[in-house]
Amino acid sequence: MSESTVLAVPRPGAAVAPAPAAASPRLTTARGAALYIGALLGPGLLLLPGLAAAQAGPASLLAWAGLLGLSALFAVVFTALGRAFPSADGVIGYVSAGLGARQGLAAGWSFLAGVIAGAPVVCLIGAGYLTELTGGGRVGQAVIAAALLLTVLALAAGGMRTSATAQLLMVSLLIVVVIVAVAGSAASAHAANWTPFAPHGWLAVGHAATTLMLSFVGWEAVAPLTAQFADPARQLPRVVGITLAVTSVLYLGLAVVTIAVLGTGGGSMAPLADLLRRAIGPAGTAAGAVAAIVLTLGAVNAYVNGAAAMTGRLLTRRPAGTAAARPAAGAADGRRPGRLLLLAAIAGTGLPLIALYGVGLVSPVSLVAIPTTLFLTVYLGSMLAATRVLHGLARLAAVPATAATAVMLAYCGWALAVPAAIIAVVTVTGSIRRSR
């Protein structure tokens, strides 16, 4: 890597991931942008604009604006980290460079656990939207969620190129659906829906921001894919720029129209479908169902691909010296056994969880809390590391991002026990290995 592309100086003694080999990059800028957009535009897009409007009224737009600003900070930091450490290690390499190898492994396992625990949750959200439109109840929701999960695993089993191409098609379709909903329903807007601007007080904006935060977790999901670009220093900023622009326009456009057209009715369980019905009539229900499927498959697909690229690294690394900690060449290749092990873990964990939800033994709140806490833990580690190894604008962006992530993590309550357990296991395992 030339000196002009190095944005960070690692701590002395820190384990830094090796630069990727130049062989067979498989991600174009378009496919990479599709994976990033899919990671950010999860099924929360189906529900959260309406829920935020119900919580804070038109003032919920302030929460959207604030979180888009935070998302931009995350984008700046992860872009700088990706250019400085362009390997399939992803957050493992980032956190290792700033906080140490053991903390890097803890971040990697937290991310992997978050993907395994989060995949069935995302599928249940998308399935819930479908059953809200078509009926079917809790059991029907579980059946649809299982089908969505198996579809994503089949896509991921096909390898990176197959999955990224499918992602490009899904994201393109999703953008069309949202544009139709926003542009087609705008004529039904009512000025009265904008008053009062803050019907539940200004503190409600904070509650709306907490609800909306789930829509802005995703930048870390595709961090391990940096090594799949032919020229990360050139492509990564373009991919992140495209992603930030597209997601900002879609989120704000949908939020504004939800308030302007639906008003207090925006708090329904299917606001996007309501907008589509205003835009294209009864066919809007079918279009809403398509959007639910696309968002679900796209989000889980992006996370699984990022996790698959990292799995091989985790299975071959040790939190010790740099030579021993480095993975075997090609371990992160999507065609290696690590990918199949990940897919098996997701199926083996996700299908039973979905079944337990279907029979009423697991609550949605508990299902959502665990992956959210794990991903916020990964963000906190990455942002802290960035404050130590980055310079200039990226370092300045990492400071407020660290503070914001820590505040949100403090509200996670009992779910903090999960990342704490992962950190404890990594610490004990590292100590045992050093003593041998």
Side-chain angles (χ1 to χ4, degrees):
M1 185 184 302
S2 66
E3 291 183 359
S4 61
T5 63
V6 176
L7 303 183
V9 178
R11 251 184 336 109
V16 179
S24 67
R26 288 160 293 184
L27 279 183
T28 63
T29 298
R31 288 190 174 96
L35 285 169
Y36 272 61
I37 292 170
L40 286 171
L41 293 181
L45 186 67
L46 301 169
L47 305 174
L48 297 184
L51 293 179
Q55 286 180 312
S60 63
L61 290 180
L62 299 178
W64 280 106
L67 287 175
L68 283 171
L70 180 59
S71 184
L73 295 179
F74 288 147
V76 169
V77 173
F78 277 112
T79 299
L81 289 171
R83 293 178 66 184
F85 308 100
S87 88
D89 277 10
V91 294
I92 305 175
Y94 306 161
V95 178
S96 294
L99 304 179
R102 187 176 301 165
Q103 288 78 6
L105 283 180
W109 283 113
S110 294
F111 173 76
L112 199 62
V115 172
I116 293 171
V121 175
V122 173
C123 290
L124 281 168
I125 293 175
Y129 201 85
L130 289 173
T131 54
E132 178 71 19
L133 298 176
T134 62
R138 196 178 183 109
V139 174
Q141 181 182 358
V143 171
I144 294 172
L148 290 172
L149 183 62
L150 291 173
T151 300
V152 172
L153 297 181
L155 283 174
M160 176 68 70
R161 177 173 290 277
T162 299
S163 191
T165 300
Q167 186 83 347
L168 181 60
L169 295 174
M170 287 188 289
V171 166
S172 300
L173 178 60
L174 169 64
I175 292 173
V176 170
V177 168
V178 175
I179 289 174
V180 169
V182 171
S185 64
S188 301
H190 300 285
N193 288 336
W194 291 97
T195 56
F197 187 74
H200 307 297
W202 295 106
L203 290 179
V205 175
H207 294 295
T210 301
T211 299
L212 294 173
M213 185 57 209
L214 288 178
S215 291
F216 294 91
V217 174
W219 290 109
E220 85 296 344
V222 281
L225 303 181
T226 304
Q228 302 295 334
F229 291 114
D231 185 0
R234 179 180 59 86
Q235 289 179 277
L236 191 58
R238 294 181 181 180
V239 167
V240 170
I242 292 170
T243 301
L244 190 60
V246 170
T247 55
S248 296
V249 169
L250 292 182
Y251 275 143
L252 283 180
L254 196 55
V256 169
V257 173
T258 296
I259 294 169
V261 174
L262 302 179
T264 56
S268 73
M269 288 297 293
L272 181 59
D274 292 340
L275 293 175
L276 286 167
R277 278 193 290 268
R278 301 285 184 104
I280 58 178
T285 298
V290 170
I293 294 172
V294 170
L295 281 165
T296 302
L297 295 180
V300 181
N301 183 45
Y303 271 90
V304 169
N305 271 286
M310 186 186 292
T311 302
R313 302 281 179 168
L314 284 170
L315 294 177
T316 55
R317 289 178 73 103
R318 292 185 297 158
T322 56
R326 291 182 179 179
D333 193 319
R335 295 168 292 183
R336 300 295 184 181
R339 173 179 286 261
L340 298 180
L341 287 174
L342 172 68
L343 300 183
I346 293 174
T349 302
L351 293 176
L353 280 177
I354 291 172
L356 290 173
Y357 174 86
V359 297
L361 296 179
V362 177
S363 71
V365 174
S366 60
L367 286 177
V368 170
I370 293 176
T372 300
T373 304
L374 287 165
F375 289 134
L376 283 173
T377 301
V378 172
Y379 267 66
L380 182 61
S382 299
M383 296 302 106
L384 280 172
T387 63
R388 303 190 67 181
V389 300
L390 298 181
H391 301 284
L393 178 62
R395 188 174 195 173
L396 290 176
V399 173
T402 299
T405 304
V407 169
M408 288 182 287
L409 198 56
Y411 284 94
C412 292
W414 63 268
L416 288 169
V418 179
I422 291 175
I423 293 171
V425 169
V426 170
T427 300
V428 171
T429 302
S431 299
I432 292 174
R433 283 174 173 164
R434 276 204 318 274
S435 65
R436 288 178 179 175

